[in-house]
Amino acid sequence: MERNLMQLNIQRAQEEIDRKKELVSKGSMRQEYHFMPQAGWMNDPNGLICFRGKYHFFYQCNPYGAFWDCMYWGHAVSEDLIHWEYLPLALAPSESYDDYPKGGCFSGSAIVCEDKLFLMYTGTANNGNGVEQTQCIAYSTDGIHFEKYGGNPVLRAPKGIKADCFRDPKVWKHGDTYYMVCGASRDNKGLALLYRSKDMFHWSFFNVLAESRGEWGFMWECPDFFQAGDQYVLTFSPMGAGDHTSVYMVGDFDYETGKFDYYISKEIDWGLDYYAPQSFETMDGRRIMVAWANEWEWMPLWKDWGPSYREGWSGFFNLPREVRKKPDGLLQFVPVKELENLRVNPIKKEKFVLEEQETEIKAGDGICYEIKFNLDLQETTADQVEIKLRCGDGKNTVCLFDLKKGEMSVDRNFGDGWSKGISRSILNLKEKNELDVHVFVDRSSVEIFADQYSNNHSNNVFASDEQNQIFMSAYGGKAVISGLETYGLKLS
């Protein structure tokens, strides 16, 4: 009976999506090559995994409107991380522990156990004692149709942890033991709790994996933990930490004590629209990270949820990125190589000089494209180098490399007549001969990677198709550009 209720709720929600998806697909803000919902709202990536030869994306979604509300889990599969087939919704609110108008099936992860695909997710409900978040299990034999475990919830918030701040389990296996890290808040400080289990159903608290001492916000959302070479990496999105929206830490981990000792802490992305990243391992052994291309700090401040909301959809994922560790321990986040298969109409230029007068750059149709170039720091005398993207109709988005002040910024205040904000980061040029820059632009987004993919900015810009020009300039001297490559990007 209980399982049938979830299936009924999935059927109803799927009918709502099917009724809207054709009209929504015609929206002027729809992305060309980023993953997005067919209709309605989408936020955090969940349960990213390889299962029986295919990549699976699960994601939080609201099938009934293009705004955040009661959460379901959407589901899609791919063979190349670029082209996606939508499957029926995987999870729907249906039980006393996850059926609540402002709750539902919150974020989680996936793991293969005895040839079954297991989902571990946060059930959010309110049964008269305030919002309570618990950890729950669902599983599938075919990877499409899921059944909730009859013994849910398998974990409740421990003593000292706020019941409404205990969420987003990420599960993995080491040896013969399953481990899970969960985001939490204690004494108004964020932390990651570590649990372990022998069978995926019975869990015991192990240790506080890592915690804020006041410097990393009041709640850690969507933690992830994985090995990179001889070290380990913890990622999370700290709430209440200002410009810090997606953090990674590199350090040592002891499976005997369950404690993580980090000595590097950096940003995955400084942009205004990169949140709740989750990683998984591909079939060829790469560590791939995917995030939600939005962020909570600014979204509720507006009168509506944005231009795409008015088209009946909201939210998409940033480009999948391969995580690589450099010899100095810092991480790189490199757009996956599969994106190269989308390239059309290449243009290449070995070397040219920028001055204050704008130089126009051609890349595809000026709407969906890729640009790569190197800034020669030895021959450049300019104080600033600027690239203007999605220009037209009096609007543009400006990326500025301030070589004199050591800062990179992306200004979208004049990008579309709606979006606001400037993302900023330190530009470390010490003892470097060149600065590498890699840009991906889609119909509603700008993602800029610099300095060996360690200084990244992802920002949504809902530009019109008339905004299809690109310009570059240098101020306070000349700038020498080498190895320019541009491409149009098309799914078909």
Side-chain angles (χ1 to χ4, degrees):
M1 181 65 70
E2 291 180 346
R3 187 180 72 172
N4 289 338
L5 178 58
M6 185 176 80
Q7 292 174 341
L8 178 61
N9 289 342
I10 286 176
Q11 180 182 342
R12 289 170 176 168
Q14 199 64 52
E15 289 172 353
E16 181 76 4
I17 293 172
D18 293 341
R19 184 177 65 84
K20 295 176 178 177
K21 65 183 182 182
E22 183 176 355
L23 178 62
V24 170
S25 70
K26 300 175 182 178
S28 63
M29 295 294 120
R30 295 288 284 178
Q31 296 279 65
E32 177 70 25
Y33 57 91
H34 285 72
F35 181 79
M36 57 191 167
Q38 291 176 293
W41 166 275
M42 182 182 84
N43 58 298
D44 300 356
N46 298 316
L48 311 184
I49 197 169
C50 300
F51 181 64
R52 296 181 182 172
K54 290 188 177 182
Y55 299 113
H56 288 249
F57 274 9
F58 299 88
Y59 51 95
Q60 276 197 41
C61 67
N62 172 21
Y64 293 100
F67 50 89
W68 182 86
D69 203 63
C70 188
M71 287 292 103
Y72 292 63
W73 272 36
H75 189 193
V77 294
S78 173
E79 295 181 352
D80 64 0
L81 292 171
I82 306 297
H83 301 83
W84 292 92
E85 174 191 356
Y86 294 94
L87 296 180
L89 296 168
L91 296 176
S94 62
E95 318 303 324
S96 60
Y97 51 81
D98 67 10
D99 194 358
Y100 176 57
K102 296 298 181 182
C105 303
F106 278 16
S107 294
S109 55
I111 193 169
V112 178
C113 178
E114 297 180 351
D115 202 36
K116 293 181 181 179
L117 184 56
F118 275 66
L119 306 181
M120 192 171 193
Y121 71 98
T122 297
T124 301
N126 188 335
N127 295 303
N129 297 312
V131 173
E132 183 180 12
Q133 296 176 343
T134 57
Q135 312 319 317
C136 307
I137 297 288
Y139 44 82
S140 170
T141 56
D142 62 5
I144 300 174
H145 304 93
F146 289 84
E147 177 182 350
K148 293 178 182 176
Y149 173 50
N152 281 338
V154 296
L155 272 176
R156 298 184 183 274
K159 185 178 180 181
I161 300 298
K162 295 176 64 178
D164 62 346
C165 292
F166 178 59
R167 55 182 177 267
D168 311 334
K170 177 63 188 290
V171 62
W172 73 96
K173 191 175 185 181
H174 178 77
D176 62 354
T177 303
Y178 296 97
Y179 293 85
M180 183 270 287
V181 60
C182 192
S185 179
R186 181 176 64 189
D187 298 328
N188 209 35
K189 296 175 183 177
L191 68 162
L193 304 178
L194 184 63
Y195 291 81
R196 54 188 175 181
S197 170
K198 289 295 185 180
D199 61 2
M200 278 294 295
F201 296 113
H202 302 88
W203 293 86
S204 60
F205 176 71
F206 189 11
N207 206 344
V208 174
L209 180 71
E211 60 188 313
S212 171
R213 303 300 177 92
E215 74 277 36
W216 291 115
F218 65 85
M219 170 68 194
W220 288 2
E221 291 202 301
C222 302
D224 194 357
F225 194 66
F226 55 89
Q227 190 168 356
D230 295 331
Q231 282 77 45
Y232 287 80
V233 177
L234 172 67
T235 70
F236 57 89
S237 286
M239 300 182 73
D243 289 348
H244 303 287
T245 60
S246 294
V247 175
Y248 78 85
M249 297 173 172
V250 180
D252 298 314
F253 176 66
D254 185 353
Y255 271 105
E256 294 298 318
T257 65
K259 208 69 175 179
F260 175 60
D261 180 20
Y262 69 90
Y263 42 81
I264 292 175
S265 61
K266 299 284 284 185
E267 304 298 317
I268 300 170
D269 195 297
W270 281 102
L272 303 170
D273 294 295
Y274 193 92
Y275 198 80
Q278 186 174 115
S279 75
F280 69 104
E281 191 172 306
T282 62
M283 289 171 272
D284 58 2
R286 290 172 293 160
R287 172 66 56 173
I288 302 299
M289 183 172 288
V290 181
W292 173 45
N294 263 325
E295 203 275 315
W296 293 117
E297 295 292 334
W298 66 265
M299 285 195 69
L301 300 180
W302 302 102
K303 295 180 181 178
D304 60 48
W305 295 92
S308 70
Y309 161 76
R310 295 189 281 276
E311 296 180 353
W313 69 284
S314 184
F316 51 91
F317 287 168
N318 301 99
L319 293 177
R321 306 174 185 184
E322 182 182 352
V323 182
R324 301 175 184 171
K325 188 162 73 72
K326 298 195 296 182
D328 60 5
L330 297 179
L331 300 185
Q332 300 170 292
F333 303 93
V334 185
V336 293
K337 61 185 179 182
E338 286 84 350
L339 289 162
E340 296 177 6
N341 296 326
L342 303 183
R343 291 173 172 174
V344 296
N345 303 324
I347 299 174
K348 298 186 179 183
K349 196 170 184 178
E350 285 301 318
K351 192 172 184 178
F352 63 98
V353 176
L354 293 177
E355 296 180 323
E356 189 166 340
Q357 184 176 355
E358 292 181 337
T359 297
E360 185 168 7
I361 306 297
K362 295 294 185 181
D365 60 4
I367 299 170
C368 304
Y369 56 86
E370 177 185 1
I371 299 175
K372 296 183 70 175
F373 66 87
N374 294 315
L375 174 62
D376 188 326
L377 297 174
Q378 296 298 303
E379 295 190 44
T380 292
T381 61
D383 294 331
Q384 298 175 327
V385 177
E386 179 182 83
I387 178 169
K388 292 182 178 179
L389 308 166
R390 297 305 302 271
C391 302
D393 195 27
K395 301 181 179 69
N396 58 56
T397 295
V398 180
C399 177
L400 182 68
F401 300 96
D402 194 321
L403 308 180
K404 188 175 183 179
K405 294 183 178 179
E407 182 175 275
M408 175 182 172
S409 64
V410 181
D411 186 343
R412 67 175 185 186
N413 281 314
F414 303 96
D416 55 23
W418 186 84
S419 300
K420 300 293 181 184
I422 302 174
S423 57
R424 299 181 302 112
S425 62
I426 294 171
L427 191 60
N428 184 2
L429 303 175
K430 186 178 180 180
E431 299 179 354
K432 293 178 181 176
N433 295 322
E434 64 180 18
L435 175 67
D436 55 288
V437 179
H438 199 171
V439 179
F440 285 86
V441 176
D442 207 340
R443 201 171 300 274
S444 296
S445 62
V446 172
E447 291 169 83
I448 303 173
F449 304 83
D451 194 8
Q452 299 180 41
Y453 302 93
S454 62
N455 195 348
N456 312 314
H457 290 243
S458 297
N459 291 295
N460 296 348
V461 180
F462 300 97
S464 68
D465 285 357
E466 287 70 34
Q467 296 174 234
N468 58 5
Q469 291 181 293
I470 308 159
F471 298 101
M472 294 184 70
S473 303
Y475 302 100
K478 69 174 185 178
V480 178
I481 303 297
S482 64
L484 176 73
E485 301 176 30
T486 76
Y487 306 90
L489 295 176
K490 298 294 180 183
L491 275 180
S492 57

